[in-house]
Protein backbone atom coordinates (compact mmCIF):
# COMPACT_ATOMS: atom_id res chain seq x y z
CA UNK A 1 0.00 0.00 0.00
CA UNK A 2 2.91 2.38 0.75
CA UNK A 3 4.18 2.14 -2.81
CA UNK A 4 0.79 3.32 -4.12
CA UNK A 5 1.01 6.59 -2.19
CA UNK A 6 4.75 7.14 -2.65
CA UNK A 7 5.04 6.47 -6.40
CA UNK A 8 2.85 8.81 -8.47
CA UNK A 9 3.48 6.89 -11.69
CA UNK A 10 2.32 3.65 -10.13
CA UNK A 11 -0.64 5.44 -8.54
CA UNK A 12 -1.88 6.66 -11.93
CA UNK A 13 -1.17 3.35 -13.64
CA UNK A 14 -2.87 1.34 -10.90
CA UNK A 15 -5.91 3.63 -11.02
CA UNK A 16 -6.14 3.01 -14.75
CA UNK A 17 -5.92 -0.73 -14.11
CA UNK A 18 -8.66 -0.46 -11.48
CA UNK A 19 -10.95 1.31 -13.95
CA UNK A 20 -10.15 -1.27 -16.59
CA UNK A 21 -11.05 -4.00 -14.08
CA UNK A 22 -14.32 -2.20 -13.40
CA UNK A 23 -14.98 -2.08 -17.13
CA UNK A 24 -14.48 -5.83 -17.37
CA UNK A 25 -17.37 -6.55 -15.00
CA UNK A 26 -19.63 -3.48 -14.78
CA UNK A 27 -21.94 -4.68 -17.54
CA UNK A 28 -21.53 -8.39 -16.77
CA UNK A 29 -24.30 -8.70 -14.17
CA UNK A 30 -26.62 -6.59 -16.32
CA UNK A 31 -26.00 -8.96 -19.21
CA UNK A 32 -26.60 -11.99 -16.98
CA UNK A 33 -29.81 -10.41 -15.69
CA UNK A 34 -30.98 -9.74 -19.25
CA UNK A 35 -30.21 -13.34 -20.21
CA UNK A 36 -32.00 -14.74 -17.12
CA UNK A 37 -35.27 -13.21 -18.36
CA UNK A 38 -35.22 -15.14 -21.63
CA UNK A 39 -37.30 -18.27 -22.06
CA UNK A 40 -34.29 -20.62 -22.37
CA UNK A 41 -32.19 -18.81 -19.77
CA UNK A 42 -29.85 -21.75 -19.12
CA UNK A 43 -28.71 -21.70 -22.76
CA UNK A 44 -28.29 -17.90 -22.73
CA UNK A 45 -26.24 -17.98 -19.51
CA UNK A 46 -24.14 -20.82 -20.94
CA UNK A 47 -23.37 -18.75 -24.04
CA UNK A 48 -22.21 -15.87 -21.84
CA UNK A 49 -20.01 -18.21 -19.81
CA UNK A 50 -18.45 -19.60 -23.00
CA UNK A 51 -17.80 -16.09 -24.37
CA UNK A 52 -15.97 -15.36 -21.11
CA UNK A 53 -14.01 -18.63 -21.15
CA UNK A 54 -12.67 -18.91 -24.71
CA UNK A 55 -10.45 -15.76 -24.60
CA UNK A 56 -8.43 -17.43 -21.84
CA UNK A 57 -6.95 -19.63 -24.58
CA UNK A 58 -5.23 -16.51 -25.96
CA UNK A 59 -3.50 -15.44 -22.73
CA UNK A 60 -0.15 -16.90 -23.81
CA UNK A 61 -0.28 -15.11 -27.18
CA UNK A 62 -1.10 -11.90 -25.33
CA UNK A 63 2.04 -12.21 -23.21
CA UNK A 64 4.18 -12.99 -26.25
CA UNK A 65 2.85 -9.96 -28.12
CA UNK A 66 3.38 -7.84 -25.00
CA UNK A 67 7.08 -8.78 -24.92
CA UNK A 68 7.39 -7.93 -28.62
CA UNK A 69 5.66 -4.57 -28.16
CA UNK A 70 8.09 -1.65 -28.05
CA UNK A 71 5.71 1.13 -27.03
CA UNK A 72 3.78 -0.70 -24.34
CA UNK A 73 2.02 2.37 -22.94
CA UNK A 74 0.72 3.36 -26.37
CA UNK A 75 -0.53 -0.19 -26.96
CA UNK A 76 -2.33 -0.45 -23.61
CA UNK A 77 -3.97 2.92 -24.35
CA UNK A 78 -5.11 1.73 -27.80
CA UNK A 79 -6.54 -1.48 -26.34
CA UNK A 80 -8.55 0.49 -23.78
CA UNK A 81 -9.86 2.71 -26.58
CA UNK A 82 -10.95 -0.28 -28.68
CA UNK A 83 -12.80 -1.78 -25.72
CA UNK A 84 -14.47 1.58 -25.15
CA UNK A 85 -15.71 1.53 -28.76
CA UNK A 86 -17.01 -2.05 -28.40
CA UNK A 87 -19.20 -1.22 -25.41
CA UNK A 88 -20.37 1.97 -27.09
CA UNK A 89 -21.63 -0.25 -29.93
CA UNK A 90 -23.31 -2.51 -27.35
CA UNK A 91 -25.05 0.54 -25.87
CA UNK A 92 -26.29 1.57 -29.32
CA UNK A 93 -27.55 -1.95 -30.09
CA UNK A 94 -29.54 -1.97 -26.86
CA UNK A 95 -31.44 1.12 -28.04
CA UNK A 96 -32.68 -0.73 -31.13
CA UNK A 97 -35.59 -3.17 -31.42
CA UNK A 98 -33.38 -6.13 -32.28
CA UNK A 99 -34.64 -9.63 -31.48
CA UNK A 100 -33.63 -10.70 -27.94
CA UNK A 101 -31.61 -13.72 -29.04
CA UNK A 102 -29.84 -11.80 -31.82
CA UNK A 103 -29.01 -9.12 -29.26
CA UNK A 104 -27.59 -11.70 -26.83
CA UNK A 105 -25.42 -13.14 -29.60
CA UNK A 106 -24.12 -9.69 -30.60
CA UNK A 107 -23.33 -8.69 -27.02
CA UNK A 108 -21.65 -12.05 -26.37
CA UNK A 109 -19.50 -11.47 -29.48
CA UNK A 110 -18.55 -7.96 -28.30
CA UNK A 111 -17.73 -9.38 -24.87
CA UNK A 112 -15.61 -12.10 -26.50
CA UNK A 113 -13.64 -9.56 -28.56
CA UNK A 114 -13.19 -7.26 -25.55
CA UNK A 115 -11.89 -10.09 -23.35
CA UNK A 116 -9.57 -11.26 -26.14
CA UNK A 117 -8.02 -7.79 -26.33
CA UNK A 118 -7.94 -7.91 -22.55
CA UNK A 119 -5.51 -10.85 -22.64
CA UNK A 120 -3.05 -8.69 -24.58
CA UNK A 121 -3.60 -5.80 -22.17
CA UNK A 122 -2.97 -8.11 -19.19
CA UNK A 123 0.30 -9.27 -20.78
CA UNK A 124 1.45 -5.65 -20.87
CA UNK A 125 0.68 -5.00 -17.20
CA UNK A 126 3.36 -7.20 -15.59
CA UNK A 127 6.42 -5.76 -17.42
CA UNK A 128 5.04 -2.23 -17.01
CA UNK A 129 4.65 -2.60 -13.23
CA UNK A 130 8.18 -4.01 -13.04
CA UNK A 131 9.40 -1.08 -15.17
CA UNK A 132 7.69 1.48 -12.93
CA UNK A 133 8.51 -0.07 -9.54
CA UNK A 134 11.46 -2.38 -10.11
CA UNK A 135 11.62 -6.05 -9.16
CA UNK A 136 12.27 -5.31 -5.49
CA UNK A 137 8.90 -3.56 -5.13
CA UNK A 138 6.94 -5.73 -7.55
CA UNK A 139 5.47 -8.07 -4.93
CA UNK A 140 4.12 -5.21 -2.81
CA UNK A 141 2.81 -3.30 -5.82
CA UNK A 142 1.33 -6.35 -7.52
CA UNK A 143 -0.31 -7.59 -4.31
CA UNK A 144 -1.86 -4.19 -3.70
CA UNK A 145 -2.96 -3.86 -7.34
CA UNK A 146 -4.49 -7.36 -7.34
CA UNK A 147 -6.32 -6.79 -4.09
CA UNK A 148 -7.63 -3.38 -5.13
CA UNK A 149 -8.59 -4.64 -8.59
CA UNK A 150 -10.70 -7.31 -6.93
CA UNK A 151 -12.22 -4.68 -4.65
CA UNK A 152 -13.03 -2.40 -7.58
CA UNK A 153 -14.43 -5.31 -9.56
CA UNK A 154 -16.61 -6.26 -6.61
CA UNK A 155 -17.88 -2.70 -6.22
CA UNK A 156 -18.41 -2.40 -9.97
CA UNK A 157 -20.56 -5.55 -10.00
CA UNK A 158 -22.62 -4.19 -7.15
CA UNK A 159 -22.86 -0.77 -8.82
CA UNK A 160 -23.89 -2.31 -12.12
CA UNK A 161 -26.69 -4.28 -10.49
CA UNK A 162 -27.81 -1.25 -8.47
CA UNK A 163 -27.84 1.03 -11.51
CA UNK A 164 -30.35 -1.26 -13.22
CA UNK A 165 -32.91 -0.10 -10.66
CA UNK A 166 -33.00 3.37 -12.24
CA UNK A 167 -31.01 3.06 -15.46
CA UNK A 168 -31.50 1.27 -18.79
CA UNK A 169 -29.23 -1.49 -20.09
CA UNK A 170 -27.97 0.83 -22.84
CA UNK A 171 -27.03 3.61 -20.39
CA UNK A 172 -25.06 1.15 -18.31
CA UNK A 173 -23.21 -0.04 -21.43
CA UNK A 174 -22.23 3.58 -22.20
CA UNK A 175 -20.90 4.02 -18.65
CA UNK A 176 -18.97 0.77 -19.08
CA UNK A 177 -17.41 2.23 -22.24
CA UNK A 178 -16.45 5.40 -20.34
CA UNK A 179 -14.45 3.42 -17.75
CA UNK A 180 -12.21 2.06 -20.50
CA UNK A 181 -11.81 5.54 -22.01
CA UNK A 182 -10.68 7.09 -18.69
CA UNK A 183 -8.37 4.12 -18.03
CA UNK A 184 -6.76 4.63 -21.42
CA UNK A 185 -6.17 8.32 -20.73
CA UNK A 186 -4.45 7.50 -17.43
CA UNK A 187 -2.23 4.91 -19.15
CA UNK A 188 -1.25 7.53 -21.74
CA UNK A 189 -0.36 10.05 -19.01
CA UNK A 190 1.86 7.56 -17.21
CA UNK A 191 3.50 6.65 -20.52
CA UNK A 192 4.57 10.24 -21.05
CA UNK A 193 5.94 10.55 -17.53
CA UNK A 194 7.78 7.22 -17.62
CA UNK A 195 9.38 8.03 -20.96
CA UNK A 196 10.47 11.41 -19.59
CA UNK A 197 12.08 9.79 -16.55
CA UNK A 198 13.61 7.10 -18.78
CA UNK A 199 12.60 4.19 -16.58
CA UNK A 200 13.96 0.92 -18.02
CA UNK A 201 11.53 -1.34 -19.84
CA UNK A 202 12.24 -4.97 -20.76
CA UNK A 203 13.83 -5.18 -24.21
CA UNK A 204 11.89 -6.88 -26.97
CA UNK A 205 13.46 -10.31 -27.49
CA UNK A 206 14.24 -11.70 -30.94
CA UNK A 207 12.81 -15.20 -30.43
CA UNK A 208 9.74 -16.32 -32.34
CA UNK A 209 6.63 -17.47 -30.51
CA UNK A 210 7.57 -21.14 -30.16
CA UNK A 211 11.17 -20.34 -29.19
CA UNK A 212 9.89 -17.92 -26.54
CA UNK A 213 7.43 -20.56 -25.31
CA UNK A 214 10.22 -23.14 -25.11
CA UNK A 215 12.53 -20.73 -23.22
CA UNK A 216 9.78 -19.74 -20.80
CA UNK A 217 8.90 -23.37 -20.17
CA UNK A 218 12.55 -24.24 -19.49
CA UNK A 219 12.86 -21.44 -16.96
CA UNK A 220 9.71 -22.60 -15.18
CA UNK A 221 10.86 -26.22 -15.27
CA UNK A 222 14.24 -25.35 -13.70
CA UNK A 223 12.49 -24.30 -10.49
CA UNK A 224 12.04 -27.35 -8.26
CA UNK A 225 8.38 -28.41 -7.94
CA UNK A 226 7.07 -25.26 -9.68
CA UNK A 227 5.77 -27.21 -12.67
CA UNK A 228 4.12 -29.76 -10.36
CA UNK A 229 2.47 -26.96 -8.42
CA UNK A 230 1.26 -25.34 -11.62
CA UNK A 231 -0.33 -28.63 -12.70
CA UNK A 232 -2.16 -28.79 -9.38
CA UNK A 233 -3.42 -25.23 -9.70
CA UNK A 234 -4.61 -25.95 -13.24
CA UNK A 235 -7.06 -28.43 -11.73
CA UNK A 236 -8.11 -26.10 -8.89
CA UNK A 237 -8.72 -23.22 -11.28
CA UNK A 238 -10.81 -25.48 -13.49
CA UNK A 239 -13.14 -26.14 -10.55
CA UNK A 240 -13.27 -22.47 -9.56
CA UNK A 241 -13.98 -21.38 -13.14
CA UNK A 242 -17.17 -23.45 -13.47
CA UNK A 243 -18.62 -22.90 -9.99
CA UNK A 244 -19.90 -19.36 -10.73
CA UNK A 245 -21.66 -20.22 -14.04
CA UNK A 246 -23.30 -23.24 -12.38
CA UNK A 247 -24.31 -21.08 -9.41
CA UNK A 248 -25.97 -18.50 -11.71
CA UNK A 249 -28.11 -21.24 -13.24
CA UNK A 250 -29.04 -22.59 -9.78
CA UNK A 251 -30.01 -19.06 -8.77
CA UNK A 252 -32.18 -18.61 -11.86
CA UNK A 253 -33.82 -22.00 -11.21
CA UNK A 254 -34.70 -21.15 -7.60
CA UNK A 255 -35.71 -17.50 -7.90
CA UNK A 256 -38.55 -17.96 -5.44
CA UNK A 257 -36.38 -19.18 -2.55
CA UNK A 258 -32.80 -17.96 -3.07
CA UNK A 259 -33.14 -14.35 -4.18
CA UNK A 260 -32.42 -11.32 -2.02
CA UNK A 261 -34.56 -8.65 -3.62
CA UNK A 262 -34.13 -9.40 -7.32
CA UNK A 263 -31.85 -11.53 -9.49
CA UNK A 264 -29.28 -8.85 -10.37
CA UNK A 265 -29.01 -7.63 -6.76
CA UNK A 266 -28.51 -11.20 -5.51
CA UNK A 267 -25.80 -11.76 -8.10
CA UNK A 268 -24.14 -8.53 -6.98
CA UNK A 269 -24.20 -9.59 -3.31
CA UNK A 270 -22.87 -13.01 -4.30
CA UNK A 271 -20.03 -11.55 -6.36
CA UNK A 272 -19.22 -9.21 -3.46
CA UNK A 273 -18.91 -12.02 -0.92
CA UNK A 274 -16.90 -14.27 -3.24
CA UNK A 275 -14.76 -11.31 -4.33
CA UNK A 276 -14.01 -10.52 -0.69
CA UNK A 277 -12.34 -13.92 -0.40
CA UNK A 278 -10.15 -13.13 -3.40
CA UNK A 279 -9.28 -9.68 -2.04
CA UNK A 280 -8.36 -10.95 1.42
CA UNK A 281 -6.31 -13.74 -0.13
CA UNK A 282 -4.40 -11.27 -2.33
CA UNK A 283 -3.78 -8.75 0.46
CA UNK A 284 -3.12 -10.97 3.48
CA UNK A 285 -2.81 -14.60 2.33
CA UNK A 286 0.93 -14.61 1.49
CA UNK A 287 1.72 -12.96 4.86
CA UNK A 288 -0.50 -15.24 6.94
CA UNK A 289 0.74 -18.39 5.20
CA UNK A 290 4.30 -17.20 4.57
CA UNK A 291 5.85 -20.35 6.08
CA UNK A 292 3.12 -22.77 4.98
CA UNK A 293 3.89 -25.24 2.20
CA UNK A 294 2.13 -24.46 -1.07
CA UNK A 295 1.25 -28.16 -1.29
CA UNK A 296 -0.58 -28.01 2.05
CA UNK A 297 -2.47 -24.92 0.89
CA UNK A 298 -3.43 -26.76 -2.29
CA UNK A 299 -4.78 -29.72 -0.29
CA UNK A 300 -6.92 -27.37 1.80
CA UNK A 301 -8.14 -25.62 -1.35
CA UNK A 302 -9.06 -28.93 -3.02
CA UNK A 303 -11.12 -30.01 0.00
CA UNK A 304 -12.89 -26.63 0.00
CA UNK A 305 -13.56 -27.06 -3.72
CA UNK A 306 -15.32 -30.35 -2.98
CA UNK A 307 -17.50 -28.71 -0.30
CA UNK A 308 -18.23 -25.80 -2.65
CA UNK A 309 -19.46 -28.21 -5.31
CA UNK A 310 -21.55 -30.14 -2.79
CA UNK A 311 -23.11 -26.90 -1.55
CA UNK A 312 -24.79 -26.40 -4.94
CA UNK A 313 -27.09 -29.32 -4.11
CA UNK A 314 -28.25 -27.63 -0.90
CA UNK A 315 -29.77 -24.54 -2.57
CA UNK A 316 -28.80 -22.44 0.45
CA UNK A 317 -27.39 -19.12 -0.73
CA UNK A 318 -25.26 -18.38 2.34
CA UNK A 319 -23.71 -21.86 2.58
CA UNK A 320 -22.79 -21.69 -1.11
CA UNK A 321 -21.25 -18.24 -0.85
CA UNK A 322 -19.34 -19.04 2.34
CA UNK A 323 -17.58 -22.02 0.78
CA UNK A 324 -16.95 -20.08 -2.44
CA UNK A 325 -15.32 -17.22 -0.51
CA UNK A 326 -13.01 -19.55 1.43
CA UNK A 327 -11.99 -21.30 -1.78
CA UNK A 328 -11.14 -18.06 -3.57
CA UNK A 329 -9.10 -16.92 -0.53
CA UNK A 330 -6.80 -19.95 -0.76
CA UNK A 331 -6.56 -19.93 -4.56
CA UNK A 332 -5.61 -16.22 -4.53
CA UNK A 333 -2.99 -16.86 -1.85
CA UNK A 334 -1.40 -19.71 -3.79
CA UNK A 335 -1.45 -17.83 -7.10
CA UNK A 336 0.21 -14.72 -5.67
CA UNK A 337 2.97 -16.72 -3.96
CA UNK A 338 3.69 -18.48 -7.22
CA UNK A 339 3.71 -15.22 -9.21
CA UNK A 340 6.37 -13.81 -6.88
CA UNK A 341 8.33 -17.03 -7.27
CA UNK A 342 8.15 -16.61 -11.04
CA UNK A 343 9.11 -12.93 -11.13
CA UNK A 344 12.29 -13.59 -9.13
CA UNK A 345 13.51 -16.39 -11.40
CA UNK A 346 13.00 -15.39 -15.06
CA UNK A 347 14.76 -13.10 -17.53
CA UNK A 348 13.23 -9.61 -17.92
CA UNK A 349 13.15 -9.91 -21.74
CA UNK A 350 10.57 -12.70 -21.58
CA UNK A 351 8.84 -11.65 -18.37
CA UNK A 352 5.49 -11.00 -20.04
CA UNK A 353 5.63 -14.29 -21.96
CA UNK A 354 6.60 -16.33 -18.89
CA UNK A 355 3.95 -14.67 -16.70
CA UNK A 356 1.41 -15.35 -19.44
CA UNK A 357 2.66 -18.93 -19.71
CA UNK A 358 1.98 -19.37 -16.01
CA UNK A 359 -1.47 -17.80 -16.33
CA UNK A 360 -2.22 -19.88 -19.42
CA UNK A 361 -1.21 -23.10 -17.68
CA UNK A 362 -3.23 -22.13 -14.61
CA UNK A 363 -6.31 -21.50 -16.74
CA UNK A 364 -5.65 -24.19 -19.36
CA UNK A 365 -8.62 -26.32 -18.39
CA UNK A 366 -10.99 -23.42 -17.56
CA UNK A 367 -12.49 -23.00 -21.05
CA UNK A 368 -12.80 -26.75 -21.55
CA UNK A 369 -14.52 -27.32 -18.21
CA UNK A 370 -16.74 -24.28 -18.62
CA UNK A 371 -17.86 -25.28 -22.11
CA UNK A 372 -18.33 -28.93 -21.10
CA UNK A 373 -20.43 -28.30 -17.98
CA UNK A 374 -22.29 -25.34 -19.52
CA UNK A 375 -23.21 -27.57 -22.48
CA UNK A 376 -24.37 -30.36 -20.16
CA UNK A 377 -26.47 -27.80 -18.28
CA UNK A 378 -28.00 -26.43 -21.49
CA UNK A 379 -28.93 -29.78 -23.03
CA UNK A 380 -29.80 -31.83 -19.95
CA UNK A 381 -29.89 -30.88 -16.27
CA UNK A 382 -27.89 -28.63 -13.96
CA UNK A 383 -27.57 -31.37 -11.34
CA UNK A 384 -25.99 -33.76 -13.84
CA UNK A 385 -23.35 -31.09 -14.50
CA UNK A 386 -22.74 -30.68 -10.75
CA UNK A 387 -22.38 -34.47 -10.39
CA UNK A 388 -19.70 -34.47 -13.10
CA UNK A 389 -17.93 -31.66 -11.23
CA UNK A 390 -18.03 -33.67 -7.99
CA UNK A 391 -16.32 -36.63 -9.68
CA UNK A 392 -13.66 -34.25 -10.99
CA UNK A 393 -13.20 -32.86 -7.46
CA UNK A 394 -12.51 -36.29 -6.03
CA UNK A 395 -9.92 -36.89 -8.75
CA UNK A 396 -8.25 -33.55 -7.96
CA UNK A 397 -7.97 -34.36 -4.24
CA UNK A 398 -6.42 -37.76 -5.03
CA UNK A 399 -3.85 -36.25 -7.41
CA UNK A 400 -2.88 -33.43 -5.02
CA UNK A 401 -2.39 -35.74 -2.04
CA UNK A 402 -0.33 -38.09 -4.24
CA UNK A 403 1.87 -35.18 -5.38
CA UNK A 404 2.25 -33.97 -1.79
CA UNK A 405 3.38 -37.40 -0.55
CA UNK A 406 5.87 -37.74 -3.42
CA UNK A 407 7.29 -34.29 -2.69
CA UNK A 408 7.59 -35.10 1.01
CA UNK A 409 9.38 -38.38 0.24
CA UNK A 410 11.74 -36.59 -2.18
CA UNK A 411 12.67 -33.99 0.47
CA UNK A 412 13.26 -36.77 3.01
CA UNK A 413 15.61 -38.57 0.60
CA UNK A 414 17.51 -35.35 -0.15
CA UNK A 415 17.90 -34.63 3.59
CA UNK A 416 19.13 -38.19 4.18
CA UNK A 417 21.66 -37.91 1.38
CA UNK A 418 22.94 -34.59 2.74
CA UNK A 419 23.35 -36.01 6.24
CA UNK A 420 25.24 -39.03 4.93
CA UNK A 421 27.55 -36.78 2.92
Amino acid sequence: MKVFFKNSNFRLFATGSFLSSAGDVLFYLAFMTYASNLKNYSLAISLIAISEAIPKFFTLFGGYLADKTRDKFKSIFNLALVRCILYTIVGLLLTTKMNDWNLVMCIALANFISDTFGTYSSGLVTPLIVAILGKENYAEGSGFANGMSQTISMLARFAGASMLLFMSYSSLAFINAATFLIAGILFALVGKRVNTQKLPLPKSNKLNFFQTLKTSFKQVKKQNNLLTMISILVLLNAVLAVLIPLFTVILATHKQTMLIGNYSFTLAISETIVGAGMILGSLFGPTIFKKTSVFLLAILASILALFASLSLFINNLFVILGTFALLTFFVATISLKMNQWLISSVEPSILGSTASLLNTLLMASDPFMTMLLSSITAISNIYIAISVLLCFNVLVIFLIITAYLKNKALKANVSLADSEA
Side-chain angles (χ1 to χ4, degrees):
M1 185 175 292
K2 290 181 181 179
V3 73
F4 179 80
F5 294 104
K6 288 184 177 181
N7 191 312
S8 59
N9 289 328
F10 178 67
R11 188 162 58 248
L12 283 175
F13 184 82
T15 302
S17 297
F18 301 157
L19 287 171
S20 183
S21 297
D24 284 335
V25 300
L26 185 63
F27 190 71
Y28 176 75
L29 291 185
F31 192 19
M32 294 291 281
T33 302
Y34 185 89
S36 71
N37 293 322
L38 299 181
K39 185 175 180 180
N40 191 351
Y41 60 82
S42 61
L43 177 59
I45 291 174
S46 296
L47 286 174
I48 298 171
I50 291 171
S51 75
E52 289 274 332
I54 292 178
K56 293 176 182 178
F57 281 123
F58 308 127
T59 300
L60 185 56
F61 295 97
Y64 172 74
L65 290 175
D67 282 333
K68 290 291 186 181
T69 301
R70 292 187 179 277
D71 194 340
K72 291 178 170 59
F73 280 108
K74 182 179 179 180
S75 296
I76 202 169
F77 164 76
N78 289 335
L79 290 167
L81 187 61
V82 169
R83 300 174 84 182
C84 168
I85 293 171
L86 283 170
Y87 279 100
T88 300
I89 294 172
V90 168
L92 293 173
L93 288 175
L94 286 163
T95 63
T96 67
K97 296 182 180 180
M98 184 182 291
N99 174 273
D100 285 340
W101 272 102
N102 289 337
L103 190 58
V104 166
M105 294 296 291
C106 288
I107 298 176
L109 177 61
N111 184 67
F112 167 77
I113 296 172
S114 176
D115 285 356
T116 300
F117 280 117
T119 62
Y120 181 21
S121 182
S122 296
L124 293 166
V125 167
T126 298
L128 286 176
I129 291 180
V130 173
I132 294 170
L133 296 179
K135 285 188 177 183
E136 65 279 2
N137 293 316
Y138 173 81
E140 180 184 350
S142 179
F144 176 78
N146 288 338
M148 286 301 299
S149 290
Q150 292 297 326
T151 303
I152 297 298
S153 295
M154 178 179 67
L155 294 174
R157 290 185 181 99
F158 189 82
S162 301
M163 287 178 185
L164 284 179
L165 298 175
F166 57 88
M167 186 178 291
S168 66
Y169 289 105
S170 59
S171 297
L172 188 56
F174 290 134
I175 291 176
N176 199 107
T179 62
F180 284 118
L181 177 61
I182 299 171
I185 293 171
L186 291 176
F187 291 146
L189 289 174
V190 178
K192 288 184 178 181
R193 295 173 65 171
V194 168
N195 289 336
T196 300
Q197 296 173 9
K198 297 181 180 180
L199 290 176
L201 290 173
K203 295 180 180 179
S204 178
N205 67 78
K206 297 180 180 180
L207 303 178
N208 63 36
F209 174 75
F210 292 105
Q211 289 172 329
T212 302
L213 179 62
K214 184 178 180 181
T215 303
S216 299
F217 185 78
K218 283 182 177 179
Q219 295 206 12
V220 170
K221 191 176 180 180
K222 281 193 300 185
Q223 302 300 312
N224 291 333
N225 298 319
L226 178 57
L227 195 57
T228 300
M229 197 62 244
I230 289 173
S231 301
I232 290 171
L233 278 183
V234 166
L235 302 177
L236 285 174
N237 275 275
V239 175
L240 188 58
V242 298
L243 282 172
I244 296 298
L246 292 178
F247 168 69
T248 57
V249 176
I250 288 287
L251 198 60
T253 305
H254 299 276
K255 287 184 177 180
Q256 301 300 320
T257 57
M258 292 182 66
L259 295 187
I260 302 173
N262 55 40
Y263 185 82
S264 61
F265 184 78
T266 306
L267 271 183
I269 291 293
S270 303
E271 294 277 0
T272 299
I273 294 173
V274 174
M278 187 70 72
I279 294 165
L280 293 173
S282 296
L283 293 176
F284 305 111
T287 301
I288 295 173
F289 296 104
K290 186 176 183 179
K291 297 183 179 180
T292 305
S293 165
V294 180
F295 279 96
L296 286 175
L297 291 176
I299 290 173
L300 289 173
S302 66
I303 294 172
L304 283 169
L306 178 64
F307 281 113
S309 301
L310 284 169
S311 71
L312 293 174
F313 281 109
I314 300 174
N315 300 329
N316 184 300
L317 181 63
F318 299 104
V319 172
I320 293 173
L321 296 181
T323 53
F324 280 20
L326 284 172
L327 176 59
T328 56
F329 175 90
F330 280 98
V331 171
T333 300
I334 296 168
S335 296
L336 195 56
K337 290 182 72 171
M338 288 185 60
N339 266 299
Q340 178 57 31
W341 186 357
L342 184 72
I343 291 299
S344 62
S345 59
V346 301
E347 298 173 10
S349 63
I350 58 170
L351 183 57
S353 297
T354 311
S356 294
L357 172 64
L358 175 61
N359 290 330
T360 299
L361 291 173
L362 288 178
M363 297 185 297
S365 55
D366 290 13
F368 172 75
M369 287 292 290
T370 300
M371 288 187 285
L372 173 63
L373 295 187
S374 294
S375 299
I376 291 174
T377 300
I379 64 178
S380 59
N381 188 289
I382 179 65
Y383 293 106
I384 294 177
I386 298 173
S387 298
V388 172
L389 181 60
L390 282 172
C391 294
F392 184 77
N393 272 315
V394 173
L395 176 63
V396 170
I397 292 174
F398 172 77
L399 292 175
I400 291 177
I401 292 176
T402 301
Y404 171 71
L405 293 175
K406 286 183 178 179
N407 181 64
K408 191 174 181 179
L410 179 62
K411 285 185 175 180
N413 290 334
V414 170
S415 299
L416 181 61
D418 289 341
S419 63
E420 290 177 349

